[in-house]
Amino acid sequence: MDTLRPAQNYLNEPRGWKSWLFTLDHKRIGIMYLAAILLAFLLGGIFALIVRLELLRPGADLMSADTYNKMFTLHGAIMIFLFIIPSIPAALGNFALPLMIGARDVAFPRLNLASWWVYVAGTIIALYSIFAGAVDTGWTFYTPYSTQTTTAVISMTFAAFVLGFSSIFTGINFIVTVHKLRAPGMTWFKMPLFVWALYATAIIQVLATPVLGITLLLLIFERLFAIGIFDPAMGGDPVLYQHFFWFYSHPAVYIMILPGMGIMSELVATFARKTIFGYRFVAFSSVAIALIGFLVWGHHMFTSGQSEAASMVFSALTFLVGIPSAVKIFNWLTTLYKGQISFETPMLYALWFLCTFTIGGLTGIFLGALVVDVHLHDTYFVVAHFHYVMMGGTVMAFLGGIHYWWPKMFGRMYSEFWGRIAAVLVFVGFNGTFFPQFVMGAQGMPRRYFDYVPEYGTMHAASTVGSWIMTLGFLIMATYLIASFWRGKPAGNNPWGALSLEWTTTSPPPPHNFDSQPVVTHGPHDYDKIIAPSTLAGR
């Protein structure tokens, strides 16, 4: 059984399409989320490629300025609300968390299924918005423009409102599951660090998401009934909208990045064959990021007219929130030091994360400093910083997590050769796309501009070529992952020789995860005490 796929597993038992659509199995729900968010990633990526193609040369080549505004807005809205926020918690978290703590399922399986269907409903409303005129406000829906434009703001913001419930349901489920369903012997400090990260993320999901929901609801009321909350023409205050929006949306950055940091801890320890350095510091730093993340929203508004005293406080808090992130980077690097590092595909993405997220984090210091932010605000420097954190951080970790748990999900290995080729192309393409944007931004190139002066032509062309290289990497990745269903070698229970509980059950796991209740006798990263042999031939 160790080296073969079990005859009955969660993929084929029970059978039939209804058994998938109405399943209560967290693994199936995770797989359905994974398929849906990958489609969203594809759609958002197509909009990004269209934007970059338009910016290849100055002037209008492919579309009008109005269409361009809709393209980058749809790219941002789809990537944020349909892909990156649910990517790791709802897809990988749903699949892995109960397995990692030795549970048969999440605490509320029906609520979990409801979160999936709410996500589907929100996605349908968002797709309707695209065909009903799209949106041209940017993904932030800033007022007063969003109260005045004739595009489909109401339906798109309502989609984001609905999607928020999906996120809250997932967060509630994870909090209760971690508290109540851990296996015997799994104390808080024997939990995998990915579980700690999901737990901290769930706190933000539950506490911050309602604020965005209410804000978007008020925006809808503003447009429908002209009640004068955010529109100054009706006596409202547009800065109030920014306060409400960023009170959620900056913590939302940590909804996106914290689970990625959790994946990093698993990958670094597993592929360095070494106990994670400073386990408790890494665990508590996740909670610290979640809590401090609620206090820094004002750094998005240094130029909005808020008081100097408020700006100084938010600037100081912004520097403060960097400390727990730095703790994680330091502990991962120390774990790698003198480790027996193997460079399989998941580990390559972990190394990319270390490079790109660190650049994203350090460039955030420039934006947190008041005097520098005034110069860089609303330039391509912000675009580059944001993508180095979100894509260089979250997406790199997400890709590492997919490659890490893919053998557990489907019982098959993918081509390691093509996995490494794709990883290198994604890394080169990513940096080719976004690093020139730091230079453009520092020189004053505004973001969201449809046209530009010829002096920025070389940098824009380099950025567009980088996006093509990155796309090639993603196409190769999709090809070998799909091919693994038919041609992949059986992975066995534990191809990586990892120590956390999910690797003690079959690949793919049985419908109820474990044949008997697992008992935890060691930590998830005790590689200096325990050797778990790989079930993959030749590793």
Side-chain angles (χ1 to χ4, degrees), residues 103-164:
R104 291 165 64 90
D105 208 317
V106 292
F108 307 119
R110 286 180 172 78
L111 189 66
N112 203 19
L113 179 62
S115 78
W116 155 252
W117 280 109
V118 168
Y119 174 84
V120 172
T123 302
I124 292 172
I125 299 171
L127 293 175
Y128 163 78
S129 305
I130 295 175
F131 295 105
V135 189
D136 63 351
T137 60
W139 71 273
T140 52
F141 310 116
Y142 268 5
T143 57
Y145 182 69
S146 61
T147 62
Q148 300 165 356
T149 176
T150 57
T151 55
V153 170
I154 292 178
S155 56
M156 185 60 90
T157 51
F158 185 65
F161 174 79
V162 172
L163 289 166

Side-chain angles (χ1 to χ4, degrees), residues 464-485:
T464 301
V465 171
S467 71
W468 297 342
I469 297 172
M470 188 162 46
T471 301
L472 177 61
F474 282 122
L475 291 175
I476 293 174
M477 188 188 306
T479 303
Y480 69 72
L481 287 178
I482 293 172
S484 71
F485 291 132

Side-chain angles (χ1 to χ4, degrees), residues 194-206:
F194 181 52
V195 176
W196 269 101
L198 288 173
Y199 181 77
T201 304
I203 294 173
I204 306 174
Q205 287 174 300
V206 172

Side-chain angles (χ1 to χ4, degrees), residues 378-416:
D378 266 345
T379 70
Y380 262 84
F381 191 94
V382 178
V383 178
H385 160 73
F386 183 79
H387 282 84
Y388 264 83
V389 173
M390 291 294 91
M391 187 162 192
T394 304
V395 177
M396 291 295 179
F398 174 65
L399 296 175
I402 285 181
H403 287 83
Y404 182 60
W405 282 299
W406 188 270
K408 180 57 60 181
M409 289 176 179
F410 303 107
R412 298 282 185 185
M413 297 301 296
Y414 46 82
S415 167
E416 189 59 39

